[in-house]
Amino acid sequence: MAKNMRGTVTAFSPFDARADAEALRKAMKGLGTDEETVLKILTTRNNAQRQEIASAFKTLFGRDLVDDLKSELTGKFETLMVSLMRPAYIFDAHALKHAIKGAGTNEKVLTEILASRTPEEVQNIKQVYLQEYEANLEDKITGETSGYFQRLLVVLLQANRDPDGSINESLVEQDAQVLFRAGELKWGTDEEKFITILGTRSVSHLRRVFDKYMTISGFQIEETIDRETSGDLEKLLLAVVKCIRSVPAYFAETLYYSMKGAGTDDDTLIRVMVSRSEIDLLDIRQELRKNFAKSLYQMIQKDTSGDYRKALLLLCGGDDD
């Protein structure tokens, strides 16, 4: 794991799981809750440390930390704190389970998670889903989706994208031509070609394909997808393309639109802030500043309030003036 982590939340030092567990118990015991202590501890420890705190909490007090958080906190602040307590793959598996549960499917969540996670992450999510819910994630998703949207989700769930390696220029040319013929040059669209190429080729190969496509057709691949497809398939194809180009830029855009205009999409805001806080939130902040001339910190400040806002700002890790 020599990956350069660009998260805003890193391991806290000096760390003492027992001391943190005792502070949390004290903050939630008796009448009223000291929310400030809760949010300060949970937003400044990384996930592995939060798991140690939960374990110490149970050892010391015979109580479940997450249950206590749920009974002492309310609203969006509660959702955020409980989300921080879930290990990463359980967090994703839980989000996917809720996206396909009950009436109506939340396609946005399926799109965001499956378009942005690495093949290794997808494999882990599938495994955790099976352990946690005793169900096969692919079966659940195919039961709730249909058409080409379903087919691309299934391709992404296979997590068999080619690994990055040397780039074969003639295959780049060939793929770009195939996409051009399947979209712009065709009456109607051959969606299958888009699904196969965008769902299975390596990231570095696809970046070259997008450049070549622009040369051949005079269009960005996004413009073609926009014209040639619609609905959930279009959104998923666009998300895949954006993540191939840059995962942090994709999440910067996701965060921007979760807070832009009237009302805030808190579910999306919480999901992205929690899931990227230890991975690339610093890069996401930079991309947001670059692409939308906005500071993530200031957007959160303007769009949220109370302890929920305080916790999100701590996760954000600073302003980009």
Side-chain angles (χ1 to χ4, degrees):
M1 282 298 289
K3 246 164 77 178
N4 179 20
M5 287 319 211
R6 298 269 300 147
T8 51
V9 176
T10 52
F12 185 83
S13 177
F15 172 63
D16 181 341
R18 288 177 75 101
D20 283 349
E22 281 164 358
L24 286 169
R25 176 71 183 126
K26 192 176 160 204
M28 293 189 283
K29 196 176 163 185
L31 276 176
T33 305
D34 171 7
E35 285 91 353
E36 192 85 14
T37 297
V38 174
L39 72 87
K40 283 229 164 93
I41 292 175
L42 297 187
T43 58
T44 55
R45 312 300 189 259
N46 70 9
N47 200 287
Q49 291 175 328
R50 289 180 214 127
Q51 304 314 316
E52 283 185 55
I53 295 168
S55 158
F57 196 87
K58 195 164 265 184
T59 301
L60 293 170
F61 311 111
R63 301 174 69 91
D64 186 289
L65 176 54
V66 172
D67 288 347
D68 277 12
L69 291 168
K70 284 178 177 172
S71 69
E72 294 294 326
L73 311 175
T74 56
K76 295 174 284 204
F77 180 54
E78 176 200 335
T79 307
L80 178 57
M81 292 299 107
V82 170
S83 296
L84 284 170
M85 290 306 302
R86 290 198 177 100
Y89 298 125
I90 291 182
F91 180 79
D92 281 345
H94 180 266
L96 290 168
K97 181 173 170 54
H98 280 264
I100 47 186
K101 185 178 132 189
T105 305
N106 188 337
E107 290 83 5
K108 186 180 190 173
V109 175
L110 299 182
T111 294
E112 181 196 298
I113 293 177
L114 294 175
S116 65
R117 302 307 190 251
T118 64
E120 186 191 7
E121 286 167 341
V122 173
Q123 294 290 14
N124 284 321
I125 293 165
K126 289 196 299 189
Q127 217 173 337
V128 166
Y129 197 93
L130 192 58
Q131 285 160 4
E132 290 287 307
Y133 307 115
E134 294 178 351
N136 178 300
L137 178 58
E138 188 182 317
D139 292 347
K140 289 287 176 194
I141 286 178
T142 50
E144 296 294 330
T145 56
S146 61
Y148 289 114
F149 176 61
Q150 179 201 77
R151 283 157 73 170
L152 179 50
L153 288 172
V154 170
V155 168
L156 295 171
L157 278 166
Q158 302 318 300
N160 277 335
R161 191 176 286 291
D162 298 336
D164 271 338
S166 57
I167 291 179
N168 174 343
E169 285 303 332
S170 64
L171 187 61
V172 167
E173 171 84 36
Q174 189 186 319
D175 279 351
Q177 291 286 0
V178 167
L179 289 172
F180 185 44
R181 286 198 296 273
E184 298 290 347
L185 283 186
K186 195 173 188 301
W187 177 252
T189 310
D190 185 350
E191 289 88 353
E192 210 152 84
K193 298 280 195 291
F194 280 84
I195 289 169
T196 303
I197 291 173
L198 295 178
T200 61
R201 302 288 197 256
S202 77
V203 170
S204 48
H205 171 85
L206 283 171
R207 284 177 183 159
R208 291 283 302 114
V209 170
F210 298 161
D211 292 343
K212 181 64 77 177
Y213 185 87
M214 179 74 192
T215 313
I216 295 170
S217 69
F219 299 114
Q220 293 287 10
I221 187 82
E222 290 92 334
E223 297 174 77
T224 296
I225 291 169
D226 198 30
R227 261 199 305 276
E228 297 289 329
T229 61
S230 62
D232 295 324
L233 174 67
E234 178 192 345
K235 289 181 188 135
L236 181 55
L237 284 168
L238 285 173
V240 169
V241 169
K242 285 168 185 173
C243 289
I244 294 291
R245 290 194 189 276
S246 162
V247 169
Y250 169 72
F251 280 115
E253 184 182 327
T254 305
L255 282 173
Y256 176 75
Y257 285 108
S258 76
M259 291 182 278
K260 181 184 181 281
T264 305
D265 176 355
D266 291 292
D267 288 344
T268 298
L269 178 55
I270 291 170
R271 200 172 50 248
V272 176
M273 293 297 287
V274 170
S275 64
R276 310 313 290 185
S277 60
E278 289 181 43
I279 301 174
D280 54 3
L281 196 50
L282 289 169
D283 294 329
I284 293 168
R285 271 171 38 187
Q286 277 178 357
E287 291 291 336
L288 198 109
R289 163 60 85 206
K290 187 176 88 188
N291 299 333
F292 299 100
K294 290 273 188 194
S295 137
L296 177 58
Y297 193 89
Q298 284 164 28
M299 284 191 85
I300 291 170
Q301 208 158 21
K302 199 172 101 254
D303 263 69
T304 58
S305 60
D307 295 313
Y308 175 54
R309 174 206 275 161
K310 282 183 199 165
L312 284 171
L313 290 176
L314 282 168
L315 284 178
C316 182
D319 198 354
D320 304 289
D321 278 334

